[in-house]
Amino acid sequence: MPSPRLTVVKMLLKMESSEAYSNLLLDHVFSEAELSDRDKAFAAALFYGVLERRLTLDYIIEKNSKIPFAKLDKAAVAILRTGLYQLLYMPSVPESAAVNESVKMCKQLKCFSAQGFVNGMLRGFIRSGKKISYLGMEPEKRLSVEYSCPEWLTRKLMEEYGTEFAVKALRASVGKPPVYARVNTLKTTTDKLIADLAKCRIKAEPFPGLENCIKLGKAGDIEKCAPFRQGLFHVQDISSQLCCLTLRPVVNETVLDVCAAPGGKSFTLAELMGNNGRLYSMDLHDMRVGLIEDGAARLGIKIINAMQNDASVFNNELPRADRVLCDVPCSGFGVIRRKPEIKYKSPEEFAGLPEIQYQILETSARYVKPGGTLVYSTCTLSRAENDDVADRFAAAHPEFAPIVQPVPLAAVGGDHKRTYCPDENGGDGFFIAAFRRI
């Protein structure tokens, strides 16, 4: 049986040399590797943990290496990252196992000359008490190392939202993210679902203040449990649920979800509509449209019309709608805890997003009936993609009045624009702005 640690190092090297998505790579490797469920759980925790804490781990390597970081063997660096992560963040792993298995991997990956280097650094780190020195660091640098976030992004959060907000967001960007689900009110109730999940040994509890939302405990492979297969719920973060509640669709309305895949918001909207009305759920890619159709079928939702559509181009065949949800592609800085590789991209990769987002918002607005509601949302924390796009739209379209839609949970800013800061017990980072066509 293959070693879970070696599997992780090979995946990390693959991530370094390609544009692979962490979740897709993990799923692919696990489908082919003969690992036990226990080894898979360990490998997943180590893989995501190293991705999440890479800057912290590299800072330790750099501080303790006489060889410049850029000249270190890539395999040795990947091995050191996994070894250091186990020493720092996996207390259940014996220190000796973290060191010995790391040295063994040098042989397995044929980087024999690195054995002494890896062994020496890991043992030296243990002797130093596994401490990271922040002495003399500027605040931005310290936060960058402490929460493994690039300095440019740390600085951006501090400048745009203030230090307190930035620290909360950074603290929430590391560690295992909470898992929330939306109760399918077309089939069950919160209490009944919690009881059904308990029969599958899945702990769940109602989320206070948000009706029909539950927090899942250690769920394992949630998609294998009977309540999931029966369509009694779908996994959806709190902030995403609040986005749907901001749109506030009701029975027999026509609703458009212009960037819908994989469909979580559409499913909640359909449930809020009591499965009565017309709901168009669209995505640019045909393959992702299939995800919406599959989810709707599992949940017993009949009103969703899933279709391929380019949200940036006006489609005359679509009906005018009472409600339009415009949840646009974004940089994703609010969901770093779920997709840690996002933070290692360069800022230039996100520079063109606001223009695309604005184009989608303007196009979406053309579908809204007089008196209808338009909601613009992202899962990022970036003024350029959030407030600036919403403000530009408001200035250019006096026929759309900003409106305040009451929702159960508070956010930063109580007006038509709301920014949700991710924190340890709450939802992902999110931005929501609401307008009504006069």
Side-chain angles (χ1 to χ4, degrees):
M1 191 171 281
S3 155
R5 288 178 176 85
L6 186 60
T7 301
V8 168
V9 167
K10 287 179 177 178
M11 285 194 290
L12 292 171
L13 290 169
K14 177 83 172 171
M15 289 285 293
E16 288 269 305
S17 62
S18 70
E19 293 285 312
Y21 288 105
S22 57
N23 59 329
L24 299 179
L25 177 60
L26 190 76
D27 290 346
H28 173 70
V29 170
F30 278 6
S31 68
E32 296 190 343
E34 295 178 2
L35 293 170
S36 66
D37 287 346
R38 185 178 176 182
D39 280 351
K40 281 181 181 177
F42 175 82
L46 183 57
F47 175 62
Y48 280 121
V50 170
L51 281 181
E52 185 179 83
R53 294 283 189 174
R54 197 180 82 193
L55 291 182
T56 309
L57 301 170
D58 288 357
Y59 175 78
I60 297 167
I61 295 169
E62 202 168 2
K63 280 288 177 188
N64 291 280
S65 172
K66 292 176 183 175
I67 305 166
F69 187 87
K71 292 187 176 180
L72 292 173
D73 181 87
K74 281 185 166 40
V77 170
I79 291 167
L80 277 170
R81 285 170 177 163
T82 60
L84 289 166
Y85 184 84
Q86 291 167 75
L87 292 174
L88 268 174
Y89 304 111
M90 300 181 92
S92 61
V93 176
E95 291 177 350
S96 57
V99 175
N100 295 338
E101 291 297 320
S102 296
V103 174
K104 190 191 293 184
M105 281 192 286
C106 292
K107 297 176 187 173
Q108 292 167 322
L109 292 171
K110 295 182 170 53
C111 46
F112 301 106
S113 61
Q115 288 179 77
F117 176 67
V118 167
N119 184 56
M121 185 175 294
L122 294 178
R123 292 192 184 281
F125 186 61
I126 293 168
R127 283 195 302 273
S128 72
K130 299 190 287 192
K131 299 285 187 228
I132 304 171
S133 173
Y134 300 107
L135 200 63
M137 276 190 194
E138 292 294 318
E140 287 166 18
K141 177 67 174 174
R142 172 168 181 149
L143 289 172
S144 173
V145 172
E146 192 172 355
Y147 297 112
S148 193
C149 184
E151 281 187 69
W152 73 265
L153 183 50
T154 302
R155 191 181 311 113
K156 177 181 173 68
L157 290 170
M158 291 172 75
E159 288 173 353
E160 294 185 4
Y161 299 97
T163 301
E164 185 182 349
F165 182 104
V167 171
K168 279 185 184 177
L170 290 168
R171 190 183 295 131
S173 74
V174 291
K176 192 168 183 180
V179 179
Y180 300 98
R182 186 77 185 171
V183 179
N184 183 0
T185 50
L186 305 175
K187 289 188 173 185
T188 190
T189 64
T190 299
D191 290 343
K192 178 77 167 59
L193 176 58
I194 289 172
D196 287 341
L197 287 167
K199 292 173 188 172
C200 302
R201 297 183 179 179
I202 296 170
K203 185 182 177 185
E205 57 188 14
F207 186 80
L210 192 54
E211 195 179 7
N212 301 318
C213 173
I214 59 172
K215 184 176 183 179
L216 299 172
K218 288 185 180 177
D221 191 348
I222 194 73
E223 295 183 5
K224 288 182 179 175
C225 75
F228 182 88
R229 295 198 309 272
Q230 292 160 5
L232 304 185
F233 69 95
H234 67 275
V235 173
Q236 186 181 25
D237 185 72
I238 293 170
S239 299
S240 181
Q241 295 186 37
L242 290 171
C243 180
C244 299
L245 293 173
T246 303
L247 191 68
R248 300 176 79 184
V250 294
V251 172
N252 289 331
E253 287 188 325
T254 298
V255 178
L256 305 187
D257 183 357
V258 300
C259 301
K265 294 183 186 68
S266 286
F267 305 151
T268 296
L269 294 173
E271 289 158 9
L272 291 171
M273 295 166 72
N275 212 13
N276 286 292
R278 293 192 298 169
L279 176 51
Y280 292 79
S281 301
M282 296 163 274
D283 197 81
L284 182 61
H285 303 289
D286 262 333
M287 190 173 72
R288 287 171 63 77
V289 172
L291 297 174
I292 303 171
E293 291 172 332
D294 292 346
R298 179 180 64 82
L299 295 161
I301 294 169
K302 307 294 186 188
I303 64 169
I304 286 180
N305 178 9
M307 57 189 288
Q308 188 277 331
N309 185 63
D310 184 345
S312 66
V313 179
F314 186 74
N315 182 348
N316 222 8
E317 294 181 11
L318 288 173
R320 299 305 174 264
D322 300 284
R323 322 259 170 179
V324 175
L325 175 58
C326 186
D327 184 58
V328 296
C330 67
S331 55
F333 297 145
V335 292
I336 286 172
R337 62 186 177 182
R338 302 186 192 281
K339 300 175 182 176
E341 61 267 34
I342 287 171
K343 61 186 174 184
Y344 302 122
K345 293 184 176 183
S346 69
E348 290 74 29
E349 291 182 69
F350 307 116
L353 283 172
E355 198 53 47
I356 295 167
Q357 292 157 344
Y358 185 74
Q359 192 176 351
I360 292 173
L361 179 57
E362 274 220 312
T363 303
S364 301
R366 294 173 65 186
Y367 301 118
V368 182
K369 291 178 182 177
T373 302
L374 173 66
V375 166
Y376 172 78
S377 64
T378 76
C379 59
T380 196
L381 301 171
S382 170
R383 297 284 190 196
E385 298 177 59
N386 296 346
D387 303 80
D388 292 357
V389 171
D391 292 348
R392 179 184 171 190
F393 176 79
H397 293 275
E399 74 276 20
F400 279 88
I403 57 168
V404 179
Q405 297 279 67
V407 290
L409 300 178
V412 179
D415 59 7
H416 72 290
K417 296 184 298 181
R418 292 190 175 100
T419 300
Y420 290 89
C421 178
D423 61 63
E424 296 88 342
N425 302 309
D428 293 332
F430 223 85
F431 174 82
I432 304 169
F435 304 91
R436 180 159 294 138
R437 185 164 208 150
I438 298 166

